Amino acid sequence: MASLKRSVESDPLAANISNKIYVRSTKSGKVQKIVREVYLRRDIPCSSKLCRECQHQMLIPKDALGKPIPFVLSDSPAGTKVFPQGHYLVPDTNAFLTAMDLFEQESAFYDVIVLQIVLEELRNRSLPLYNRLISLTKSEDKRFYVFFNEFRLETHVPRLEGETVNDRNDRAVRRAVAWYGEHLARIKGKDAPAIVMLSNDRDNLKKAKQEGIHACSLADYVRQLKDGEKLLDMIPETQDRDQIKEKRPGDNLYPEYFSMSKMMTGVKSNLLHQGIFNVSPYNYLEGSIRVPAFPKALLILGRENINRAVDGDLVVVEVLPKDQWKEPSTQVIEEDAITKNENPDAEESDDFVSERERKALQEEVKRTHSKTTEGHAQPTAKVVGVIKRNWRQYVGHIDQSSVSQSAQQGRKQDSVFVIPMDKKIPKIRLRTRQVSELLGKRILVTIDAWDRSSRHPSGHFVRSLGELETKAAETEALLLEYDVQYRPFPKTVLDCLPKEGHDWRVPQSLEDPGWKDRQDLRDLLICSIDPIGCQDIDDALHSRPLPNGNFEVGVHIADVSHFVKPGNAMDAEASIRGTTVYLVDKRIDMLPMLLGTDLCSLKPYVERYAFSVIWEMTSDADIVGSRFTKSVIKSREAFSYEQAQLRVDDSSQQDELTTSIRTLLALSKKLKQKRLDAGALSLSSPEVKVQMESETSDPIDVKTKVHLDTMSLVEEFMLLANTSVARRIYEAFPQTAILRRHGAPPKTNFDELSNQLKVKRGLDLSVESSRALADSLDRCVDEKEPFFNTLVRIMATRCMMSAEYFCSGTQAYPEFRHYGLASEIYTHFTSPIRRYADLMAHRQLAAAIEYEAIHPSTRSRGKLEAVCKNINVRHRNAQLAGRASIAYYVGQALRGKATEEDGFVMKIFSNGFVVLVPRFGIESLIRLRDLAETEPQAEFDAENYVLRVSGSREVRVELFQKVRVTVTDQKDETTGKRGVRMELVKTY
C-alpha cells in the first residue's frame, strides 16, 4: 500500500508541512490515531507599524467588507526605565490567567502580542478570561494583536520526544519572542523596540534569560511603570515571588482536598455527592447542598466542614455518620460580629475555630441534642473537594477594624480585610500599599487563592469605584455585583444600526424588499398598554368582531429580528447581555437605544415592522384558529395601564378603540379563569415603586403598586401568544426550539411552610400538583387579616424552583411543563427588545412559517444550549439587580425619616426575627440586641415558632404575627450599604 506521507522530493512544499498527531479512544474501546497536517507559511505579518517589510510583502488580512485590516502595534511604543527605546509585550498563559485585571488597565499594558498558543490554552483553562482577552483584542485603543505563531514557519515549534505539553508551549512562547526581536532588529536595527516576555513561571523566566530574551515577572515589570506602586496591588499575592512563604505541614488549618480521580470515583459509586454549595443568608457557618440521593438538602455546618468552599462553588461532599446529623440553625450568626478585630497578618494560627465561633456552634449542638428537637435532625456532610470555583470579582470595602495605625499613614504594603457586599462571601485578605486612599471607598477585588493554612481567602485589589454611599459608586457596585454588562456599546455594534438613524422609515413602496411576505395591518385599531413612561414598547394589541359572531384578536410584537441579524456584532453583544436590566433610576439596554426606544418600539402614530399572532376566538375565549405573520402596523395610541383603565371604566367613552379594549378585557378574564381552572398558580411578591424627584432624580417616596385589570389584560394575551408560538416552533424544530420550563418543586421544599401553617393556623398545604397547591393557597385566609393570604403566597413563591430557558432536544416532553402557568409548553416571544430568548424565538418562528431560512446558529443544538445557559444566568441576575436597586432607593427615600408601619413576622430565630413591611415591600431582621441596650434573655420554642423575650421589656413574638415597627434608614456597617432598620414598637 502506497504511503500518503509527502516527501520533500515529490513535493517541494512538504518541508513547510507539520504534522500534529492525536490519539483518542473510540466508543468501542479501540485506540484511534489522528494525523493533522499544518501548512506553515511565511506571510503572516508581525502587525508592527514600524515594519515596512510586512506591510508590503505579507498577506494582509481583510475585514468583512474586504478592506485591509490596519496594523495594530504602534510605531512609537511606550518606554520604561529598563526599556527606554520602547517595547512590545508578549505575555504567556500564566500571566493572563493570574492578572487579567492588569491588562485591562487604561494607564498601562499597550502594544501586546497575544500568541495563538496562549489564546488557545487560555480558552481551555478559563472561558470567562478568554472572552475578556478577546474583548481586548477588539479594542482599538489597547492595541492587542493576535499572532498565529503556530502557522508561521519561523515560530512553529514541534513537540520533542518526552517533552510535556506545558514545556512545549513555554518553548513556543520563547521562540516567538526571539523571532519578533530578530525580525524587527533586522528592519530597525538598534532603534527596534524591545520584545518583552511576561511570565510568573520561574522556570520559563530562567530559560528565557539563558536564551538572551528580555523577560520579566509581572511584579518586576510593573515596578518599572509610572503608576507601578498602585498597579502592584493588582498582582495576586501568590504570584509575587517576594510574598511566597514556605509552609510547613503543621501549619495547615483545613483538611486536604481529595484528588480529582478519587472524587469522581466516589461520585460514580454514590459514596460521595456532587452539587452547588449554598451559604445560609443568616448564618455564615452553615451551608447546604442539594444532591439527587437525598430528598432534602445536606447541611454543612462549621468552618472545618465547609472547608474553604465559597457560595456557588461546585463541590463534592461526604455524608457524616448519623450521630453527627443536626437540625438547620435557628440562630443568626454574622461573620462580622464573630470575627471583628481579627488581625489580617495573623492568619496562620493554631486557633482555627475562634472562641466566639466555638461558642455559637456549642449553642447549636445543645439545642440539637435537646429532647424537644429529637427526630428532626437532617443529614450533614463535609466538603472534600472543589470541582469548579465560582470565584468572580467582588464589590466590598476595607474593614476599618483590620487596619493598623501605620497602614493609614505610610505607603508600605499592609494586610487588611475586605468585607464583600454579599454577606454570603467570606472576608477577603488583601495586601495593598493604598490603605489610606481606599478607606471609605467602594472597591472591586478578586479572590486568588484559599490555602489550607489560611483562615480566609486571599485576593488582590482591582480598582476603586468611589466613595461609599455616593449614587455613582453604589449603582456601579450593584451592576458589578450582579455581573450586568453596562459598558457603552462598542463601535462595531453601532455600525450595525441602520445608516438613516432616527430618520429610518418603513418603505412607502410595497415593492420594497422590506415588504416581502408582510401583511399590511395598518388599518387595524391597534394600541399598546404599558407602565407609565415606557419607551421600549414591545407589544401592541387589537380586537374586532367578525361576521360569524366570533372575535379576531391580535398580539403584535416588535420585529427586532429584522434589524438584528444572526452572527453580526450587535447580535453577539445582545446574546452576551441576554436581557435589559431595569433599575430604579436607569435602564441598561440589551440593544442600542436607536432600536429599543425608536425604530423597533411600537410607538403610536408611526408605521412599524411587527411580528403578529392573530387568533379567531369565541366570546367564551375558546380558540377557533390562529396564524402567524410578519406585518406592518400603525398603533393608534400608547396607553399607560392607568389611562387604559380610566378609559374602560368611563361609560361615556364609546368609540371603536375603547370598545375593542373592553372586548380584550372581557376575553382576558375568561382566559385567566381557564388557566386557574387548569391549575395555574397565583403567586405573589412584594411590589413597590420608588417615586423620584424630577430634577435631581433623588427618591422622595415609596408607593405600593396597585394592580389594575388592564395589567391582567396584557398579561393574559402575552401568555397566550407565548404558548401559541411555543407549540409552533416545537412542531417545526423538535430538537432545537428555544422554550421555557418551570419544574415542579420537590415536595420537601414545602415541608417547613406546610408545618408552619399546620402549627400556627391549623391549615393544610397540599403540594400533590399545581392545582392542589393553588386550591390550598386559596384556603389560607385569615378573616381578621386580609394580608395573611398574600404573606403565605410570598412565602410559597420562595419554595418554588426557578423557571429556565432550555433547548427542546435536551428534555423529554413531560419535562417541558411550566408548573406555575399549568401549561404543557411555553416560550418567551413577546419582548424581543429586552430579552434575547424572545429574539431567538422570533427567528425560529420566521423559519417555521417559511418567511426566511433558518440560520445555522439558530439550529445548532450545542450553540443554543450555550445561549440558554447564559441567558438563564443573565435573567436571574437582572431580577436580583432590580430588587437590589429598589432596596437601595427605599433606604435613600427614608434617609433622615422615621415612620411607623405595620409588618408581619416571616421568619423566627432564637436570637431575632424577620419582619416584612408591605408598605415598602422590604423585610429586615430585628435582633434581640436591638430590643434593649444589653441583649435580653429569651426562650425559643422551635416547635411552635414562638420567641419569648424576658427582662425589662417582655415580648412574645410568633410566626405570621402582625407587629408595629418603626422604620428608619441605617448604614449597614458590615456591608457599607444603606438600607432599612426596623425597631419593634408593639405586637398585636
Side-chain angles (χ1 to χ4, degrees):
M1 181 178 173
S3 172
L4 295 176
K5 188 176 180 180
R6 307 185 197 209
S7 65
V8 178
E9 291 80 11
S10 63
D11 185 352
L13 293 176
N16 289 1
I17 301 290
S18 174
N19 291 329
K20 279 193 172 184
I21 300 173
Y22 305 87
V23 178
R24 73 176 183 186
S25 59
T26 63
K27 289 183 179 178
S28 61
K30 294 180 180 179
V31 175
Q32 188 177 49
K33 183 179 179 182
I34 301 171
V35 180
R36 289 183 182 163
E37 290 186 339
V38 178
Y39 175 59
L40 304 178
R41 50 208 301 168
R42 295 175 181 270
D43 57 0
I44 296 173
C46 68
S47 201
S48 170
K49 293 178 181 178
L50 290 167
C51 180
R52 293 185 179 178
E53 179 183 307
C54 285
Q55 291 183 38
H56 290 94
Q57 298 178 15
M58 299 294 156
L59 181 70
I60 308 300
K62 294 179 171 59
D63 63 18
L65 300 175
K67 296 179 182 178
I69 296 175
F71 276 26
V72 175
L73 303 173
S74 172
D75 53 6
S76 55
T80 68
K81 298 169 188 174
V82 179
F83 308 111
Q85 77 276 32
H87 67 295
Y88 295 152
L89 293 173
V90 185
D92 69 358
T93 310
N94 180 275
F96 284 125
L97 280 170
T98 58
M100 185 65 77
D101 301 320
L102 268 178
F103 292 96
E104 292 172 333
Q105 288 301 296
E106 294 180 1
S107 60
F109 292 91
Y110 290 81
D111 297 305
V112 176
I113 299 162
V114 181
L115 299 179
Q116 173 194 0
I117 189 73
V118 169
L119 194 64
E120 289 174 353
E121 192 175 359
L122 188 67
R123 181 175 57 188
N124 293 332
R125 299 276 294 276
S126 172
L127 196 56
L129 290 178
Y130 168 81
N131 289 331
R132 286 167 68 182
L133 182 55
I134 288 295
S135 295
L136 286 172
T137 64
K138 293 177 180 178
S139 167
E140 294 179 6
D141 298 328
K142 291 291 285 182
R143 302 190 296 276
F144 276 53
Y145 171 61
V146 179
F147 176 66
F148 290 88
N149 63 299
E150 293 287 82
F151 298 129
R152 175 108 193 181
L153 182 63
E154 299 93 332
T155 57
H156 178 80
V157 173
R159 187 175 166 191
L160 303 176
E161 189 174 346
E163 188 177 35
T164 66
V165 173
N166 189 58
D167 287 344
R168 181 261 168 192
N169 290 349
D170 286 347
R171 190 159 57 86
V173 172
R174 296 196 302 273
R175 178 67 203 119
V177 174
W179 176 81
Y180 255 95
E182 295 159 6
H183 176 72
L184 292 178
R186 191 172 68 248
I187 295 157
K188 299 298 293 182
K190 292 181 180 179
D191 296 330
I195 311 299
V196 183
M197 185 183 84
L198 288 182
S199 176
N200 275 324
D201 185 317
R202 292 182 181 179
D203 188 51
N204 200 16
L205 289 170
K206 182 180 176 183
K207 288 177 180 176
K209 288 173 181 175
Q210 289 172 350
E211 295 169 15
I213 295 171
H214 295 303
C216 295
S217 69
L218 281 167
D220 287 343
Y221 174 74
V222 166
R223 289 187 183 102
Q224 304 173 30
L225 303 177
K226 185 179 178 183
D227 292 327
E229 282 218 340
K230 290 184 178 180
L231 294 177
L232 277 171
D233 284 351
M234 300 178 68
I235 298 175
E237 181 185 331
T238 52
Q239 298 299 323
D240 187 342
R241 59 189 176 190
D242 295 336
Q243 300 300 330
I244 293 175
K245 300 176 183 176
E246 292 297 324
K247 303 288 183 185
R248 298 186 302 277
D251 290 339
N252 294 323
L253 302 174
Y254 290 97
E256 185 177 4
Y257 286 153
F258 287 3
S259 67
M260 188 62 72
S261 60
K262 185 176 180 179
M263 286 193 290
M264 291 299 98
T265 302
V267 170
K268 284 180 182 177
S269 60
N270 284 326
L271 295 174
L272 302 176
H273 306 276
Q274 174 183 315
I276 302 296
F277 176 69
N278 295 297
V279 177
S280 165
Y282 297 106
N283 182 351
Y284 80 103
L285 294 174
E286 177 182 292
S288 63
I289 173 176
R290 283 200 170 276
V291 297
F294 291 85
K296 278 193 172 184
L298 296 173
L299 288 178
I300 303 171
L301 300 170
R303 189 184 287 277
E304 186 172 0
N305 288 334
I306 291 174
N307 195 9
R308 296 168 286 155
V310 174
D311 189 65
D313 285 351
L314 179 61
V315 301
V316 171
V317 298
E318 181 178 28
V319 178
L320 294 173
K322 196 167 185 177
D323 61 355
Q324 295 181 42
W325 291 8
K326 295 184 176 70
E327 267 198 83
S329 172
T330 61
Q331 189 173 10
V332 179
I333 305 178
E334 297 167 307
E335 182 178 25
D336 186 58
I338 298 290
T339 64
K340 200 171 182 66
N341 299 315
E342 269 190 324
N343 182 356
D345 283 317
E347 281 285 276
E348 295 77 27
S349 72
D350 295 328
D351 191 19
F352 170 48
V353 181
S354 72
E355 191 61 38
R356 288 181 181 177
E357 286 178 343
R358 193 174 286 113
K359 186 177 177 182
L361 288 169
Q362 284 301 316
E363 291 297 319
E364 289 297 303
V365 172
K366 285 178 188 175
R367 190 186 61 76
T368 303
H369 289 165
S370 69
K371 289 181 181 178
T372 56
T373 61
E374 209 167 334
H376 295 287
Q378 284 183 218
T380 55
K382 64 179 181 180
V383 174
V384 297
V386 177
I387 293 177
K388 187 177 181 183
R389 289 291 191 186
N390 190 44
W391 292 350
R392 54 180 173 83
Q393 292 182 330
Y394 300 98
V395 178
H397 70 285
I398 291 176
D399 180 4
Q400 176 76 50
S401 70
S402 71
V403 179
S404 65
Q405 194 63 36
S406 60
Q408 297 186 47
Q409 297 167 355
R411 293 287 296 178
K412 72 181 184 71
Q413 193 175 43
D414 277 281
S415 293
V416 293
F417 281 128
V418 171
I419 302 176
M421 279 176 64
D422 185 348
K423 286 188 175 183
K424 292 183 175 185
I425 305 302
K427 292 196 296 192
I428 301 168
R429 187 162 58 95
L430 191 75
R431 289 184 65 80
T432 176
R433 296 162 180 80
Q434 307 173 66
V435 174
S436 58
E437 297 168 34
L438 298 179
L439 276 173
K441 301 276 181 66
R442 275 266 174 248
I443 61 173
L444 190 64
V445 301
T446 190
I447 295 178
D448 300 317
W450 196 343
D451 297 331
R452 290 176 60 199
S453 55
S454 177
R455 281 168 56 85
H456 298 278
S458 59
H460 69 264
F461 168 73
V462 177
R463 64 187 175 94
S464 170
L465 307 181
E467 296 286 339
L468 284 168
E469 292 203 84
T470 57
K471 189 184 293 187
E474 296 299 336
T475 300
E476 188 176 11
L478 186 152
L479 294 172
L480 287 165
E481 192 64 20
Y482 296 105
D483 194 23
V484 175
Q485 308 295 305
Y486 64 97
R487 298 296 184 195
F489 288 101
K491 183 176 181 297
T492 51
V493 170
L494 300 179
D495 286 345
C496 298
L497 294 169
K499 301 295 181 263
E500 303 91 334
H502 291 286
D503 294 328
W504 180 90
R505 298 287 182 272
V506 171
Q508 293 300 305
S509 171
L510 301 185
E511 303 302 316
D512 190 277
W515 275 91
K516 181 178 178 294
D517 295 333
R518 284 188 186 274
Q519 189 172 352
D520 188 349
L521 302 179
R522 291 176 292 181
D523 60 325
L524 293 178
L525 289 177
I526 294 171
C527 68
S528 61
I529 307 174
D530 291 285
I532 293 172
C534 180
Q535 294 177 300
D536 48 345
I537 303 174
D538 283 289
D539 54 87
L541 305 102
H542 89 273
S543 72
R544 62 178 178 178
L546 296 174
N548 63 1
N550 291 338
F551 295 94
E552 178 186 272
V553 176
V555 165
H556 311 277
I557 307 300
D559 189 6
V560 176
S561 60
H562 174 81
F563 297 94
V564 184
K565 299 302 182 185
N568 69 10
M570 185 153 53
D571 181 53
E573 182 73 16
S575 72
I576 292 169
R577 295 188 177 216
T579 181
T580 293
V581 181
Y582 294 90
L583 306 182
V584 169
D585 64 329
K586 65 170 65 178
R587 186 183 67 238
I588 313 297
D589 291 315
M590 182 182 82
L591 295 172
M593 192 176 290
L594 175 65
L595 292 186
T597 62
D598 190 0
L599 307 191
C600 290
S601 183
L602 303 182
K603 301 193 300 183
Y605 327 125
V606 292
E607 295 172 359
R608 286 288 179 258
Y609 286 149
F611 209 151
S612 300
V613 184
I614 300 172
W615 304 273
E616 179 182 342
M617 57 176 65
T618 67
S619 57
D620 290 327
D622 294 322
I623 297 172
V624 177
S626 60
R627 62 190 176 92
F628 311 90
T629 180
K630 291 267 188 163
S631 61
V632 176
I633 68 167
K634 186 175 182 179
S635 174
R636 295 298 192 269
E637 194 61 70
F639 294 114
S640 67
Y641 290 125
E642 291 78 5
Q643 288 172 332
Q645 190 68 51
L646 288 171
R647 192 155 181 154
V648 167
D649 294 341
D650 185 353
S651 58
S652 68
Q653 298 263 20
Q654 295 297 327
D655 60 279
E656 210 173 341
L657 182 57
T658 305
T659 302
S660 73
I661 297 174
R662 290 193 182 110
T663 300
L664 288 168
L665 183 58
L667 291 170
S668 72
K669 289 179 178 179
K670 292 173 181 176
L671 286 170
K672 183 172 184 178
Q673 191 57 52
K674 289 176 189 287
R675 283 198 308 108
L676 295 175
D677 291 343
L681 294 171
S682 179
L683 299 172
S684 186
S685 59
E687 286 190 288
V688 297
K689 182 175 178 61
V690 180
Q691 289 189 322
M692 311 291 279
E693 210 282 323
S694 57
E695 292 184 8
T696 62
S697 294
D698 289 329
I700 53 175
D701 199 5
V702 182
K703 298 285 186 184
T704 306
K705 287 186 178 178
V706 178
H707 190 79
L708 301 172
D709 285 344
T710 47
M711 294 176 180
S712 287
L713 181 162
V714 174
E715 181 185 12
E716 290 305 319
F717 283 108
M718 296 308 113
L719 293 175
L720 182 61
N722 288 334
T723 306
S724 300
V725 170
R727 291 196 178 95
R728 186 68 183 88
I729 62 175
Y730 175 62
E731 180 185 296
F733 306 106
Q735 289 297 310
T736 55
I738 291 281
L739 302 175
R740 187 164 175 82
R741 64 187 291 270
H742 183 210
K747 293 177 183 178
T748 54
N749 281 20
F750 291 94
D751 282 357
E752 186 178 1
L753 178 59
S754 184
N755 188 59
Q756 290 169 345
L757 289 169
K758 186 77 173 174
V759 170
K760 302 306 295 180
R761 291 289 194 273
L763 297 166
D764 288 318
L765 194 66
S766 175
V767 293
E768 298 303 315
S769 65
S770 61
R771 176 64 187 269
L773 177 59
D775 290 344
S776 57
L777 286 174
D778 287 342
R779 292 192 292 270
C780 291
V781 293
D782 183 339
E783 293 179 2
K784 297 177 183 176
E785 183 46 64
F787 187 77
F788 174 71
N789 184 259
T790 304
L791 179 66
V792 173
R793 290 181 190 276
I794 290 170
M795 295 170 75
T797 302
R798 298 178 185 183
C799 300
M800 295 290 172
M801 307 287 283
S802 294
E804 62 179 8
Y805 299 105
F806 71 103
C807 185
S808 57
T810 63
Q811 301 282 345
Y813 187 79
E815 300 302 315
F816 289 12
R817 184 173 176 79
H818 196 293
Y819 181 82
L821 297 174
S823 176
E824 285 188 7
I825 191 168
Y826 191 68
T827 193
H828 271 166
F829 168 79
T830 54
S831 297
I833 292 176
R834 61 185 179 90
R835 288 190 306 233
Y836 190 74
D838 302 56
L839 176 55
M840 297 292 284
H842 274 235
R843 290 170 180 165
Q844 291 185 337
L845 183 61
I849 64 173
E850 299 181 351
Y851 176 81
E852 61 187 6
I854 190 83
H855 189 271
S857 66
T858 317
R859 66 186 305 173
S860 165
R861 185 163 137 183
K863 288 183 179 178
L864 291 174
E865 284 182 46
V867 166
C868 288
K869 185 177 179 181
N870 178 63
I871 57 181
N872 282 328
V873 172
R874 298 296 179 193
H875 184 79
R876 177 67 176 157
N877 285 355
Q879 288 180 318
L880 295 174
R883 291 172 195 166
S885 177
I886 289 172
Y888 169 72
Y889 276 99
V890 167
Q892 294 297 313
L894 291 170
R895 197 162 188 169
K897 302 174 185 175
T899 178
E900 273 195 21
E901 298 291 341
D902 285 339
F904 295 85
V905 178
M906 289 189 75
K907 199 168 180 64
I908 200 155
F909 299 97
S910 58
N911 61 342
F913 50 96
V914 177
V915 173
L916 168 72
V917 175
R919 160 85 167 78
F920 298 127
I922 51 168
E923 55 194 79
S924 182
L925 175 68
I926 299 178
R927 303 167 186 82
L928 284 183
R929 66 173 185 262
D930 298 330
L931 300 179
E933 288 187 14
T934 57
E935 185 170 324
Q937 293 294 312
E939 179 188 340
F940 179 50
D941 182 354
E943 299 293 317
N944 294 299
Y945 306 100
V946 176
L947 181 64
R948 296 181 184 87
V949 182
S950 56
S952 59
R953 183 185 180 189
E954 292 191 0
V955 179
R956 177 190 168 100
V957 180
E958 298 187 38
L959 190 68
F960 302 133
Q961 186 177 22
K962 186 175 181 179
V963 295
R964 190 73 173 170
V965 293
T966 300
V967 184
T968 57
D969 70 305
Q970 181 188 47
K971 180 180 175 183
D972 188 324
E973 295 303 326
T974 305
T975 63
K977 291 192 287 189
R978 183 165 296 278
V980 166
R981 181 175 188 270
M982 295 184 193
E983 291 182 17
L984 183 66
V985 176
K986 66 176 181 178
T987 58
Y988 289 99

